[in-house]
Amino acid sequence: MLSRNFTYNLQYCNTFNRLFTTNMSGNKPLVFNILSECKTSKARVGKMTLPHGVVDTPVFMPVGTQGTLKGMLPEQLEKMGLQIMLANTYHLGTKPGAEVLRKAGGLHKFMNWDRPLLTDSGGFQMVSLLKLAEITEEGVKFQSLNQQKAEVMLTPEHSIEIQNAIGADIIMQLDDVIKTTSPDENRVKESVLRTTRWLDRCIKAHQNPDTQNIFPIVQGTLYKDLRIISANELIKRSVNGFAIGGLSGGESKDDFWKVVHLCTDLLPKEKPRYLMGVGFAVDLVVCSALGVDMFDCVFPTRTARFGCALLSIGQLNLRKAKYAKDFGPIDPECWCNTCKNYTRAYLHGVVTQLPVACHLLSEHNVAFQMRLMQEIRDSVSENRFPDFVQNFMLKLYPDKNYPSWIKDSLSAVNMELL
Ligand SMILES: [Zn+2]
């Protein structure tokens, strides 16, 4: 936990920042303009202006766990045109720790990235990484792996304190995370009500409302009535955007899209909607059609480390022997440095063996996600999003054996497949 001295310094520093920024600008730290809307589905194209720059939406945010994407430098990501990335509060709070980050002048300076950042609350990591986490009204209690198994508590206030020291443009409230497939309705209800109470504690503890945006998280797992209660409570608070949490946790795709569809109906149209933990290409296309503006997932960079490159027709496992004499690029249509300069045969020889392969594949996979989101945005802006979705799905399922959840979810927003 933080020392008293550190807490005092942090408060002093944040109070100063707040006065300074209010005097300097008085502007909202997030302005969201909807530039185009699909006439058929709920897809929209927006421009989100944050203290560290502009983000075009719908956007996919790669996850830089400890202040960097594994195998990629921030300047390389900037050169590729990446506008925003995510960092994990749990990992950063553990190492280097809030005090070092504060002394460094925040994570932007520390990691040499001056574009927008988003941090999670740390709660999800604790519950998923630490088997011994216990949730009480006060916060998430867990055994620290670093401090000789000492018991520590992550409270809403502590999560915001660390996130204030990190200084990301968007920060997340601490929420009461439970398994999506939990059969215990009373426990789900408790998590919904507690998440709202924790949001109020987070807002109260937030020291930088002029430079950092807190996003609340809609909970309620697969219970429609609880999702409605959660969203309706959260939208009463004065915040600049919302997240949909508790999905991608083992639920069926049928349940998944219905909850997303419901939540985008419930959340205010004029504010950005962030669907947490979603990053498969097909999910990005469907959920953009359902009206989601922001996504994040470790998948594209994690799968790169295992030698898998993303393609519009699926994944390419470069470890397979058949690529040993394949002198073509991963994807001839890709603009990334890896596809311009390296062959599948070269990559086959180095994947999962040399760190350089992790870099080359991560660059391609990040570029793939960026290109996909650009295609989604362009097709909405040019009023041809339904055609784009039809062609995208046909490439992925050339035999037209579309999974029923894809047909049903698109049909719910007036789109039919070829
Ligand atoms: Zn590429």
Side-chain angles (χ1 to χ4, degrees), residues 310 330-331 333-340 360 363-365 367-368 371:
L310 303 177
I330 295 173
D331 180 355
E333 285 172 30
C334 180
W335 48 257
C336 89
N337 192 50
T338 306
C339 290
K340 275 194 291 189
L360 292 171
E363 172 159 2
H364 169 77
N365 285 359
F368 173 84
R371 198 153 48 102

PDB file of all heavy atoms in Angstrom, residues 310 330-331 333-340 360 363-365 367-368 371, ligand 1:
ATOM      1  N   LEU A 310      -2.513 -12.624 -38.453  1.00  0.00           N
ATOM      2  CA  LEU A 310      -3.939 -12.451 -38.743  1.00  0.00           C
ATOM      3  C   LEU A 310      -4.135 -12.077 -40.208  1.00  0.00           C
ATOM      4  O   LEU A 310      -3.407 -11.260 -40.765  1.00  0.00           O
ATOM      5  CB  LEU A 310      -4.531 -11.356 -37.840  1.00  0.00           C
ATOM      6  CG  LEU A 310      -4.360 -11.609 -36.338  1.00  0.00           C
ATOM      7  CD1 LEU A 310      -4.911 -10.429 -35.537  1.00  0.00           C
ATOM      8  CD2 LEU A 310      -5.072 -12.886 -35.933  1.00  0.00           C
ATOM      9  N   ILE A 330       3.218 -12.322 -45.674  1.00  0.00           N
ATOM     10  CA  ILE A 330       2.058 -12.822 -44.919  1.00  0.00           C
ATOM     11  C   ILE A 330       0.789 -12.453 -45.685  1.00  0.00           C
ATOM     12  O   ILE A 330      -0.080 -13.277 -45.919  1.00  0.00           O
ATOM     13  CB  ILE A 330       1.999 -12.194 -43.498  1.00  0.00           C
ATOM     14  CG1 ILE A 330       3.197 -12.616 -42.655  1.00  0.00           C
ATOM     15  CG2 ILE A 330       0.690 -12.576 -42.808  1.00  0.00           C
ATOM     16  CD1 ILE A 330       3.285 -11.901 -41.309  1.00  0.00           C
ATOM     17  N   ASP A 331       0.700 -11.180 -46.078  1.00  0.00           N
ATOM     18  CA  ASP A 331      -0.499 -10.686 -46.765  1.00  0.00           C
ATOM     19  C   ASP A 331      -0.062  -9.656 -47.814  1.00  0.00           C
ATOM     20  O   ASP A 331       0.422  -8.583 -47.458  1.00  0.00           O
ATOM     21  CB  ASP A 331      -1.431 -10.035 -45.723  1.00  0.00           C
ATOM     22  CG  ASP A 331      -2.706  -9.479 -46.342  1.00  0.00           C
ATOM     23  OD1 ASP A 331      -2.841  -9.507 -47.585  1.00  0.00           O
ATOM     24  OD2 ASP A 331      -3.566  -9.014 -45.563  1.00  0.00           O
ATOM     25  N   GLU A 333      -1.635  -7.645 -49.455  1.00  0.00           N
ATOM     26  CA  GLU A 333      -2.376  -6.374 -49.413  1.00  0.00           C
ATOM     27  C   GLU A 333      -2.036  -5.516 -48.204  1.00  0.00           C
ATOM     28  O   GLU A 333      -2.533  -4.404 -48.058  1.00  0.00           O
ATOM     29  CB  GLU A 333      -3.885  -6.652 -49.418  1.00  0.00           C
ATOM     30  CG  GLU A 333      -4.388  -7.063 -50.790  1.00  0.00           C
ATOM     31  CD  GLU A 333      -5.828  -7.523 -50.755  1.00  0.00           C
ATOM     32  OE1 GLU A 333      -6.578  -7.029 -49.889  1.00  0.00           O
ATOM     33  OE2 GLU A 333      -6.188  -8.380 -51.581  1.00  0.00           O
ATOM     34  N   CYS A 334      -1.181  -6.041 -47.310  1.00  0.00           N
ATOM     35  CA  CYS A 334      -0.901  -5.324 -46.058  1.00  0.00           C
ATOM     36  C   CYS A 334       0.210  -4.293 -46.264  1.00  0.00           C
ATOM     37  O   CYS A 334       1.192  -4.548 -46.960  1.00  0.00           O
ATOM     38  CB  CYS A 334      -0.495  -6.318 -44.980  1.00  0.00           C
ATOM     39  SG  CYS A 334      -0.123  -5.560 -43.397  1.00  0.00           S
ATOM     40  N   TRP A 335       0.038  -3.125 -45.652  1.00  0.00           N
ATOM     41  CA  TRP A 335       1.022  -2.047 -45.789  1.00  0.00           C
ATOM     42  C   TRP A 335       2.134  -2.112 -44.748  1.00  0.00           C
ATOM     43  O   TRP A 335       3.020  -1.264 -44.716  1.00  0.00           O
ATOM     44  CB  TRP A 335       0.349  -0.675 -45.729  1.00  0.00           C
ATOM     45  CG  TRP A 335      -0.627  -0.489 -44.571  1.00  0.00           C
ATOM     46  CD1 TRP A 335      -1.986  -0.535 -44.664  1.00  0.00           C
ATOM     47  CD2 TRP A 335      -0.340  -0.253 -43.173  1.00  0.00           C
ATOM     48  NE1 TRP A 335      -2.567  -0.345 -43.426  1.00  0.00           N
ATOM     49  CE2 TRP A 335      -1.579  -0.158 -42.486  1.00  0.00           C
ATOM     50  CE3 TRP A 335       0.836  -0.109 -42.429  1.00  0.00           C
ATOM     51  CZ2 TRP A 335      -1.677   0.063 -41.119  1.00  0.00           C
ATOM     52  CZ3 TRP A 335       0.742   0.114 -41.048  1.00  0.00           C
ATOM     53  CH2 TRP A 335      -0.501   0.198 -40.419  1.00  0.00           C
ATOM     54  N   CYS A 336       2.109  -3.115 -43.868  1.00  0.00           N
ATOM     55  CA  CYS A 336       3.063  -3.077 -42.745  1.00  0.00           C
ATOM     56  C   CYS A 336       4.483  -3.405 -43.203  1.00  0.00           C
ATOM     57  O   CYS A 336       4.699  -4.012 -44.253  1.00  0.00           O
ATOM     58  CB  CYS A 336       2.599  -3.986 -41.609  1.00  0.00           C
ATOM     59  SG  CYS A 336       3.165  -5.686 -41.710  1.00  0.00           S
ATOM     60  N   ASN A 337       5.422  -3.010 -42.398  1.00  0.00           N
ATOM     61  CA  ASN A 337       6.845  -3.206 -42.664  1.00  0.00           C
ATOM     62  C   ASN A 337       7.195  -4.688 -42.836  1.00  0.00           C
ATOM     63  O   ASN A 337       7.992  -5.066 -43.697  1.00  0.00           O
ATOM     64  CB  ASN A 337       7.597  -2.600 -41.473  1.00  0.00           C
ATOM     65  CG  ASN A 337       9.063  -2.479 -41.736  1.00  0.00           C
ATOM     66  OD1 ASN A 337       9.457  -1.954 -42.769  1.00  0.00           O
ATOM     67  ND2 ASN A 337       9.868  -2.996 -40.826  1.00  0.00           N
ATOM     68  N   THR A 338       6.557  -5.542 -42.041  1.00  0.00           N
ATOM     69  CA  THR A 338       6.841  -6.977 -42.102  1.00  0.00           C
ATOM     70  C   THR A 338       6.435  -7.538 -43.464  1.00  0.00           C
ATOM     71  O   THR A 338       7.191  -8.273 -44.095  1.00  0.00           O
ATOM     72  CB  THR A 338       6.067  -7.701 -40.972  1.00  0.00           C
ATOM     73  OG1 THR A 338       6.402  -7.065 -39.740  1.00  0.00           O
ATOM     74  CG2 THR A 338       6.415  -9.172 -40.903  1.00  0.00           C
ATOM     75  N   CYS A 339       5.238  -7.171 -43.928  1.00  0.00           N
ATOM     76  CA  CYS A 339       4.759  -7.698 -45.210  1.00  0.00           C
ATOM     77  C   CYS A 339       5.545  -7.109 -46.382  1.00  0.00           C
ATOM     78  O   CYS A 339       5.680  -7.744 -47.422  1.00  0.00           O
ATOM     79  CB  CYS A 339       3.268  -7.437 -45.366  1.00  0.00           C
ATOM     80  SG  CYS A 339       2.301  -8.461 -44.238  1.00  0.00           S
ATOM     81  N   LYS A 340       6.049  -5.896 -46.212  1.00  0.00           N
ATOM     82  CA  LYS A 340       6.812  -5.277 -47.304  1.00  0.00           C
ATOM     83  C   LYS A 340       8.205  -5.909 -47.435  1.00  0.00           C
ATOM     84  O   LYS A 340       8.760  -5.964 -48.519  1.00  0.00           O
ATOM     85  CB  LYS A 340       6.962  -3.766 -47.063  1.00  0.00           C
ATOM     86  CG  LYS A 340       5.747  -2.987 -47.583  1.00  0.00           C
ATOM     87  CD  LYS A 340       6.017  -1.495 -47.656  1.00  0.00           C
ATOM     88  CE  LYS A 340       6.152  -0.868 -46.289  1.00  0.00           C
ATOM     89  NZ  LYS A 340       6.199   0.558 -46.245  1.00  0.00           N
ATOM     90  N   LEU A 360       8.135  -8.720 -35.471  1.00  0.00           N
ATOM     91  CA  LEU A 360       7.638  -8.694 -36.854  1.00  0.00           C
ATOM     92  C   LEU A 360       6.164  -9.110 -36.925  1.00  0.00           C
ATOM     93  O   LEU A 360       5.371  -8.505 -37.649  1.00  0.00           O
ATOM     94  CB  LEU A 360       8.499  -9.595 -37.749  1.00  0.00           C
ATOM     95  CG  LEU A 360       9.935  -9.106 -37.972  1.00  0.00           C
ATOM     96  CD1 LEU A 360      10.759 -10.168 -38.681  1.00  0.00           C
ATOM     97  CD2 LEU A 360       9.946  -7.795 -38.763  1.00  0.00           C
ATOM     98  N   GLU A 363       3.878  -6.453 -35.246  1.00  0.00           N
ATOM     99  CA  GLU A 363       3.669  -5.296 -36.128  1.00  0.00           C
ATOM    100  C   GLU A 363       2.581  -5.618 -37.162  1.00  0.00           C
ATOM    101  O   GLU A 363       1.673  -4.823 -37.387  1.00  0.00           O
ATOM    102  CB  GLU A 363       4.967  -4.889 -36.836  1.00  0.00           C
ATOM    103  CG  GLU A 363       4.698  -3.821 -37.893  1.00  0.00           C
ATOM    104  CD  GLU A 363       5.896  -2.985 -38.312  1.00  0.00           C
ATOM    105  OE1 GLU A 363       7.000  -3.234 -37.814  1.00  0.00           O
ATOM    106  OE2 GLU A 363       5.687  -2.079 -39.137  1.00  0.00           O
ATOM    107  N   HIS A 364       2.669  -6.806 -37.755  1.00  0.00           N
ATOM    108  CA  HIS A 364       1.650  -7.167 -38.747  1.00  0.00           C
ATOM    109  C   HIS A 364       0.262  -7.245 -38.105  1.00  0.00           C
ATOM    110  O   HIS A 364      -0.719  -6.742 -38.649  1.00  0.00           O
ATOM    111  CB  HIS A 364       1.975  -8.495 -39.437  1.00  0.00           C
ATOM    112  CG  HIS A 364       0.814  -8.981 -40.232  1.00  0.00           C
ATOM    113  ND1 HIS A 364       0.474  -8.440 -41.465  1.00  0.00           N
ATOM    114  CD2 HIS A 364      -0.180  -9.868 -39.940  1.00  0.00           C
ATOM    115  CE1 HIS A 364      -0.637  -9.003 -41.898  1.00  0.00           C
ATOM    116  NE2 HIS A 364      -1.060  -9.868 -40.990  1.00  0.00           N
ATOM    117  N   ASN A 365       0.169  -7.897 -36.938  1.00  0.00           N
ATOM    118  CA  ASN A 365      -1.152  -8.080 -36.335  1.00  0.00           C
ATOM    119  C   ASN A 365      -1.769  -6.763 -35.870  1.00  0.00           C
ATOM    120  O   ASN A 365      -2.984  -6.572 -35.979  1.00  0.00           O
ATOM    121  CB  ASN A 365      -1.073  -9.091 -35.180  1.00  0.00           C
ATOM    122  CG  ASN A 365      -0.943 -10.522 -35.697  1.00  0.00           C
ATOM    123  OD1 ASN A 365      -0.930 -10.747 -36.915  1.00  0.00           O
ATOM    124  ND2 ASN A 365      -0.842 -11.486 -34.799  1.00  0.00           N
ATOM    125  N   ALA A 367      -1.124  -3.903 -37.331  1.00  0.00           N
ATOM    126  CA  ALA A 367      -1.499  -3.266 -38.599  1.00  0.00           C
ATOM    127  C   ALA A 367      -2.798  -3.859 -39.141  1.00  0.00           C
ATOM    128  O   ALA A 367      -3.657  -3.144 -39.667  1.00  0.00           O
ATOM    129  CB  ALA A 367      -0.382  -3.438 -39.629  1.00  0.00           C
ATOM    130  N   PHE A 368      -2.959  -5.187 -38.977  1.00  0.00           N
ATOM    131  CA  PHE A 368      -4.191  -5.850 -39.442  1.00  0.00           C
ATOM    132  C   PHE A 368      -5.417  -5.266 -38.733  1.00  0.00           C
ATOM    133  O   PHE A 368      -6.429  -4.939 -39.364  1.00  0.00           O
ATOM    134  CB  PHE A 368      -4.102  -7.361 -39.182  1.00  0.00           C
ATOM    135  CG  PHE A 368      -5.386  -8.086 -39.475  1.00  0.00           C
ATOM    136  CD1 PHE A 368      -5.692  -8.492 -40.771  1.00  0.00           C
ATOM    137  CD2 PHE A 368      -6.310  -8.344 -38.467  1.00  0.00           C
ATOM    138  CE1 PHE A 368      -6.889  -9.140 -41.053  1.00  0.00           C
ATOM    139  CE2 PHE A 368      -7.513  -8.983 -38.736  1.00  0.00           C
ATOM    140  CZ  PHE A 368      -7.796  -9.387 -40.027  1.00  0.00           C
ATOM    141  N   ARG A 371      -6.061  -1.717 -39.912  1.00  0.00           N
ATOM    142  CA  ARG A 371      -6.606  -1.691 -41.277  1.00  0.00           C
ATOM    143  C   ARG A 371      -8.094  -2.076 -41.259  1.00  0.00           C
ATOM    144  O   ARG A 371      -8.922  -1.459 -41.930  1.00  0.00           O
ATOM    145  CB  ARG A 371      -5.813  -2.674 -42.147  1.00  0.00           C
ATOM    146  CG  ARG A 371      -5.944  -2.458 -43.634  1.00  0.00           C
ATOM    147  CD  ARG A 371      -4.704  -2.970 -44.374  1.00  0.00           C
ATOM    148  NE  ARG A 371      -4.307  -4.302 -43.954  1.00  0.00           N
ATOM    149  CZ  ARG A 371      -4.563  -5.426 -44.661  1.00  0.00           C
ATOM    150  NH1 ARG A 371      -5.193  -5.368 -45.804  1.00  0.00           N
ATOM    151  NH2 ARG A 371      -4.157  -6.598 -44.209  1.00  0.00           N
TER     152      ARG A 371
HETATM  153 ZN    ZN B   1       1.485  -7.015 -42.631  1.00  0.00          ZN
END
